[in-house]
Amino acid sequence: MKVQPSVLVSILVLCFPMAPLHCLILVVALAVCSVRASIGPVTDLTLTSASVDPLGSGVQRDAIVFSQSSNVIGPLIVGNKGDNFKINVINNLNNDNMRKPTSIHWHGILQTGGQNWADGAAFVTQCPIAGGGHSFLYDFTEPEQAGTFWYHSHLSTQYCDGARGPFVIYDPQDAHASLYDVDDESTVITLADWSQTYAMDFTGVPPTTSTLINGLGRVSGGTASPLSVITVEAGKRYRLRFINIACDPWYRVSIDGHASLTIIEADGVSTTPVTAGYFDIYAAQRYSVILNANQAVGNYWIRASPTGTSTFTNGIDSAILRYVGAPVAEPTTTPNILANLLTEQSLTPLTNTGAPGPHYRGDPSVKVFNLNFTFDGTRYHVNGVDWVPPSMPVLLQILSGTQTAQTLLPAGSFLEINQGDIVELNFQTEIVSLVGGPHPFHLHGHTFYVIRSAGSLLDNWTSPPKRDVVSTGIITDLVTIRFVADNKGPWFLHCHIDWHLELGLALVFAESVDQWDGTIIPPSEWDQLCPIYDALPSDDQ
């Protein structure tokens, strides 16, 4: 992790002596420097609730917050490659407007070597952690992973109420280290949606939302409330880690005056450097982007257009890139002429092995699943079945004596694969692409190779992108991925638009079921999660 001392000094100067700046409130909105305190790899993570107004709209609402953070986005969790993470989640939630239990998923962390129990997917790998002060220690080590990740509640739509935050594993031997000068807490950028509607009030239609960048934003026609500021020093190169932690929208990201961005990572996988003028980032995806601070000292808009349709009026959907020495003022810059959009198929892994298996379709050695998605007006279905969480977590079903994938519940929501299988998925989304699409799909426990991307008619066998979230595109697309079954356990595959997951757009891979018992050995505290949760009154579940 490279820290730039001069940037930290400028942040102290700009952020703390507030009294001399109070007269400027009438002229320009105050901006909040986007340096956050980090925690980890051994830490408590405490959930509670508070009344918040991150949009400065004058309308307060309760939200799930973390005691280790100062806003609705959770604290940055950090560590180095190979670290043992011990994150004790303490659940102090007791607010009737929101779900009180919780579970935390460490998005992008593979949980190899029998660590499936720590994946955090409620009713797949664990029962939720009850509210009212109960806790659970997630203890995991992923020796080969480094990059940009995040964490969020994986119970129903709870993270739409605030239970989400960034997670970065630094690599002291990063192969790209010579390409940037600064990579620290100040260069992590979260993109989120925010609604005045509680997630529990979801009725099937996603609520209207506004954009938060590092936890701050504005509403159209509202007051000029504070925006996040990313501070840079002229002549330095910055590794900006963009994370889409939204419940729904994808964002089109650009930075005024800086139309040459170099992408070096996608979803925790280092890529060969590729230059783009702007990029689209779907829910749960991450990109590391090198910005060269080579423009005149000043203030520049960072723009994150939800679904590519923002007008950016009054600074909505925006943050500020501020050079050291620039005035504390809002930018007057105009949007770049958008050219050179990042394409997914340009993201060649830095360590490129090509796609696993034969480099063509139809070989019998590849286990192929065609996933047909439908919508009946109320629920989504995958191959005719909608996901309904079981009362007993999938992992516990096997550890309690269920013998085969065919006897797992809920029936019809499992695809059985075995150790060493080369698995190919074809996403047939012609129908549902028109119902809330494009749908970004995430596979737990694996990174996968994107053989055919949305917007492409060609297969890429020799240098396919490798990531853990893929857009399944529009009505004309047939997105194809492959992965190797090399991680035993039940692994969720689901749409990462959280409202769609709630409506059934998911299934579970039952991987090497006969080896779970004896390979996946949860701690004794894990065994107590279900009895405690099951004993709760229904209103507290």
Side-chain angles (χ1 to χ4, degrees), residues 164-187:
R164 48 187 167 177
F167 188 165
V168 174
I169 301 178
Y170 294 97
D171 183 356
Q173 306 300 320
D174 180 22
H176 288 316
S178 64
L179 300 180
Y180 55 87
D181 306 301
V182 183
D183 176 30
D184 59 21
E185 292 90 341
S186 72
T187 63

Side-chain angles (χ1 to χ4, degrees), residues 99-295:
R99 295 293 293 265
K100 297 174 186 177
T102 195
S103 66
I104 301 297
H105 172 55
W106 317 99
H107 185 110
I109 304 301
L110 299 179
Q111 306 294 4
T112 58
Q115 298 179 135
N116 174 271
W117 62 267
D119 191 51
F123 303 111
V124 178
T125 61
Q126 69 170 84
C127 276
I129 306 164
H134 290 277
S135 64
F136 181 66
L137 177 65
Y138 292 90
D139 184 346
F140 56 89
T141 303
E142 205 54 60
E144 299 304 320
Q145 283 192 277
T148 309
F149 308 94
W150 64 297
Y151 60 93
H152 60 86
S153 166
H154 218 306
L155 173 65
S156 183
T157 55
Q158 188 182 52
Y159 90 72
C160 305
D161 284 324
R164 48 187 167 177
F167 188 165
V168 174
I169 301 178
Y170 294 97
D171 183 356
Q173 306 300 320
D174 180 22
H176 288 316
S178 64
L179 300 180
Y180 55 87
D181 306 301
V182 183
D183 176 30
D184 59 21
E185 292 90 341
S186 72
T187 63
V188 177
I189 302 175
T190 59
L191 309 175
D193 48 355
W194 188 250
S195 172
Q196 298 294 5
T197 303
Y198 293 109
M200 282 177 59
D201 295 334
F202 174 59
T203 59
V205 179
T208 300
T209 60
S210 301
T211 300
L212 302 181
I213 301 181
N214 282 352
L216 294 173
R218 292 178 183 167
V219 293
S220 181
T223 60
S225 57
L227 295 175
S228 293
V229 174
I230 307 299
T231 304
V232 298
E233 184 178 353
K236 300 293 184 180
R237 301 163 302 167
Y238 292 79
R239 179 174 181 163
L240 305 180
R241 296 176 182 262
F242 286 90
I243 312 173
N244 184 341
I245 63 173
C247 289
D248 190 345
W250 60 272
Y251 296 95
R252 177 156 289 174
V253 178
S254 63
I255 304 175
D256 289 3
H258 300 75
S260 182
L261 305 171
T262 303
I263 290 81
I264 60 169
E265 178 214 351
D267 296 359
V269 178
S270 293
T271 68
T272 57
V274 58
T275 301
Y278 64 109
F279 58 92
D280 296 342
I281 183 168
Y282 290 84
Q285 290 185 333
R286 294 89 67 205
Y287 287 118
S288 279
V289 177
I290 295 174
L291 176 137
N292 190 349
N294 58 5
Q295 298 301 300

Side-chain angles (χ1 to χ4, degrees), residues 398-399 418-419 488-489 511-520:
I398 288 292
L399 299 185
N418 296 305
Q419 185 75 9
K488 304 174 185 68
E511 184 171 338
S512 303
V513 172
D514 59 342
Q515 300 178 49
W516 294 2
D517 193 1
T519 299
I520 304 170

Side-chain angles (χ1 to χ4, degrees), residues 45 47 76 144-145 177 209 224 254 347 356 408 412 450 500 520 523 529:
L45 189 64
L47 292 85
L76 170 65
E144 299 304 320
Q145 283 192 277
T209 60
S254 63
L347 296 168
L408 289 169
V450 186
H500 299 172
I520 304 170
L529 290 174

Side-chain angles (χ1 to χ4, degrees), residues 304-358:
S305 175
T307 66
T309 58
S310 178
T311 63
F312 303 109
T313 303
N314 189 40
I316 64 170
D317 308 318
S318 302
I320 299 170
L321 181 76
R322 175 167 295 149
Y323 279 67
V324 172
V328 179
E330 294 203 350
T332 58
T333 54
T334 57
N336 300 336
I337 297 174
L338 295 183
N340 193 20
L341 172 66
L342 175 70
T343 60
E344 186 171 66
Q345 283 299 324
S346 68
L347 296 168
T348 302
L350 189 63
T351 301
N352 178 31
T353 59

Side-chain angles (χ1 to χ4, degrees), residues 27 42 65 70 86 97 116 184 251 267 284-285 339 355 391 414 461 487 514 525:
V27 181
V42 178
V65 298
S70 60
K86 295 184 177 182
N97 290 318
N116 174 271
D184 59 21
Y251 296 95
D267 296 359
Q285 290 185 333
S391 58
F414 297 90
W461 302 105
N487 195 11
D514 59 342
E525 293 79 7

